[in-house]
């Protein structure tokens, strides 16, 4: 079979590999869609401290079951399934308390296990052990199901930042994750959602699809002024920073209303993770700052349900579909920001 294998930063090869055989407790899938994201581009360029090369990349996986290892029940050849990306251990104190996204023993598809940029992938026993393989609901395509993984991360982020009915929300960052945040905020009953990005072209591409109440180009307008005006000087109830920008995080604190909640959804570069924060603003204005680290198996199930019910449509966010041998082109498209979501279809 053909796979996309990471060997070293800048050295990702499309190569032949033997079709894998599922071991005990494992399931083999024919990959129908594996979608790309900014993380893939980062891995391609800089590597990742959790990846021991060589490793098949790809973590937004949907496919069909083609073979079962020993001791696997509950699954059958032909089942349409979606796979979690982050795999909690299931038995540490955090996992047992339901805090699976912060499991210290977490492993990941495409990092510790071979991923989905391949014609076939093995679902490890560790995924099945934590309920991380999900049936794709009827009516949901493989391509849509592959978006359940990033949507699951967005579900985790918004449950932590508690977006809800009547909220005014600012989303900073108009990439695919920002688009999903706009749609999920609406599904959770937000009153108004404002979308912000420095890049006008990327913002308008996103805004055309997800229709925020305002699309604010950070490079052209004073975002704080615009938000303050639109909220009668109050600021917004929740600010979600879906961009790897310390400046955006600092700005988020100023955009929040009293008792506002701020999500540092995106991580900052490892080399530059420190921001300026006026602690008295947090203290006197009773602000809440939360993080977000991936998703749990439960969040993935919720994401599939949100897609299936139409609460969070994702089909129109998939703006490009490429075969496996064009995966590096897909990474370039993602890096240039010229598509919302690019999905790889290895079986076509
Ligand atoms: Zn991803
Ligand atoms: Zn754990």
């Amino acid at each position: 079979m053909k796979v996309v294998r990471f060997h070293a930063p800048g050295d990702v090869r499309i190569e032949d590999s033997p079709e894998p055989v599922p071991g005990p407790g494992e399931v083999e899938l024919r990959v129908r869609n594996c979608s790309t994201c900014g993380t893939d581009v980062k891995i391609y360029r800089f590597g990742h401290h959790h990846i021991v090369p060589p490793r098949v990349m790809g973590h937004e996986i949907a496919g069909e079951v083609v073979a079962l290892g020993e001791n696997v029940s509950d699954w059958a050849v032909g089942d349409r399934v979606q796979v979690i990306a982050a795999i909690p251990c299931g038995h540490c104190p955090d996992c047992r308390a339901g805090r699976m996204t912060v499991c210290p023993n977490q492993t990941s598809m495409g990092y510790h296990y071979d991923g989905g940029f391949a014609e076939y992938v093995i679902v490890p026993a560790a995924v099945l052990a934590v309920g991380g393989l999900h049936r794709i609901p009827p009516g949901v395509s493989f391509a849509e199901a592959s978006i359940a993984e990033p949507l699951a991360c967005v579900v985790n982020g918004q449950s932590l930042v508690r977006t809800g009915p009547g909220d005014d929300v600012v989303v900073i960052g108009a990439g695919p994750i920002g688009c999903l945040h706009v749609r999920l905020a609406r599904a959770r009953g937000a009153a108004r959602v404002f979308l912000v990005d420095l890049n006008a072209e990327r913002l308008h591409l996103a805004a055309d699809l997800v229709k925020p109440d305002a699309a604010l180009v950070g490079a052209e307008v004073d975002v704080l002024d615009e938000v303050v005006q639109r909220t009668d000087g109050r600021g917004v109830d929740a600010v979600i920073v879906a961009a790897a920008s310390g400046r955006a995080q600092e700005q988020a604190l100023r955009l929040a209303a009293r008792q506002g909640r701020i999500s540092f959804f995106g991580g900052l570069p490892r080399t530059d993770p420190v921001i300026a924060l006026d602690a008295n603003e947090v203290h006197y204005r009773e602000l809440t700052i939360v993080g977000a680290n991936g998703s749990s198996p439960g969040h993935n199930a919720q994401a599939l349900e949100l897609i299936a019910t139409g609460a969070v449509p994702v089909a129109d966010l998939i703006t490009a579909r490429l075969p496996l041998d064009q995966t590096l082109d897909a990474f370039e498209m993602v890096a240039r920001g010229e598509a919302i979501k690019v999905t790889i279809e290895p079986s076509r």
Side-chain angles (χ1 to χ4, degrees), residues 35-40 59-60 85 149-150 177 341:
S35 292
T36 59
C37 78
T39 306
D40 295 311
H59 58 269
E60 302 185 359
E149 191 280 327
I177 290 288
K341 202 74 186 165

Side-chain angles (χ1 to χ4, degrees), residues 89-100:
C89 77
H91 49 70
C92 72
D94 282 311
C95 282
R96 285 204 307 270
R99 298 185 294 263
M100 287 185 153

Side-chain angles (χ1 to χ4, degrees), residues 162-181:
R162 304 191 322 268
T163 46
D167 279 351
D168 283 337
V169 178
V170 165
V171 176
I172 303 178
I177 290 288
C179 289
L180 292 172
H181 271 301

Side-chain angles (χ1 to χ4, degrees), residues 14-327:
I14 319 267
E15 53 192 25
D16 287 316
S17 189
E19 186 182 324
V21 177
E26 297 177 341
V27 168
E28 181 188 359
L29 307 184
R30 181 160 84 104
V31 180
R32 294 293 298 270
N33 283 88
C34 187
S35 292
T36 59
C37 78
T39 306
D40 295 311
V41 177
K42 267 190 254 170
I43 292 168
Y44 172 40
R45 289 182 175 167
F46 308 114
H48 191 281
H49 60 290
H50 282 146
I51 295 187
V52 182
R55 175 66 67 216
V56 178
M57 296 173 61
H59 58 269
E60 302 185 359
I61 306 167
E64 61 195 300
V65 174
V66 290
L68 306 172
E70 278 171 54
N71 309 321
V72 175
S73 43
D74 306 336
W75 301 100
V77 170
D79 283 347
R80 302 164 73 247
V81 294
Q82 180 265 347
V83 188
I84 56 170
I87 310 165
C89 77
H91 49 70
C92 72
D94 282 311
C95 282
R96 285 204 307 270
R99 298 185 294 263
M100 287 185 153
T101 53
V102 289
C103 168
N105 310 315
Q106 199 176 85
T107 54
S108 298
M109 294 301 290
Y111 294 66
H112 307 80
Y113 300 96
D114 278 342
F117 293 139
E119 288 175 75
Y120 297 92
V121 66
I122 296 295
V123 180
V127 167
L128 297 181
V130 294
L133 189 62
H134 297 108
R135 268 172 235 287
I136 299 175
V140 175
S141 70
F142 288 109
E144 291 169 287
S146 72
I147 311 298
E149 191 280 327
L151 179 56
C153 300
V154 166
V155 168
N156 177 41
Q158 290 205 24
S159 80
L160 289 164
V161 79
R162 304 191 322 268
T163 46
D167 279 351
D168 283 337
V169 178
V170 165
V171 176
I172 303 178
I177 290 288
C179 289
L180 292 172
H181 271 301
V182 171
R183 286 203 165 146
L184 182 63
R186 294 225 190 273
R188 292 170 65 102
R192 291 180 298 176
V193 187
F194 308 124
L195 184 58
V196 177
D197 202 289
L198 283 175
N199 179 329
E201 205 178 328
R202 179 163 109 139
L203 180 61
H204 295 312
L205 181 69
D208 279 349
L209 289 169
V210 300
K211 309 269 189 294
D213 293 279
L216 306 172
V217 182
E220 292 171 9
V221 300
D222 185 325
V223 170
L224 181 59
D225 269 3
E226 296 284 332
V227 169
V228 161
Q229 271 178 36
R230 286 172 161 83
T231 54
D232 301 322
R234 204 178 70 87
V236 294
D237 304 284
V239 187
I240 298 164
V241 187
S245 161
R247 294 286 300 277
Q249 292 182 343
E250 289 168 358
Q251 183 174 55
L253 291 158
R254 294 188 288 272
L255 295 172
R258 286 180 295 280
Q259 278 200 3
R261 290 100 54 197
I262 299 114
S263 169
F264 289 173
F265 185 87
L268 297 184
R270 211 156 254 283
T271 49
D272 190 17
V274 178
I275 64 166
L277 185 155
D278 181 341
N280 279 338
E281 289 284 299
V282 177
H283 172 75
Y284 289 112
R285 305 178 67 231
E286 297 189 352
L287 302 180
T288 302
I289 303 171
V290 298
N293 181 51
S295 62
S296 69
H299 294 130
N300 281 255
Q302 283 179 52
L304 280 169
E305 204 49 39
L306 287 163
I307 295 169
T309 59
V312 179
V314 297
D316 59 344
L317 302 182
I318 302 164
T319 51
R321 295 165 184 259
L322 295 176
L324 190 72
D325 57 11
Q326 289 175 33
T327 303

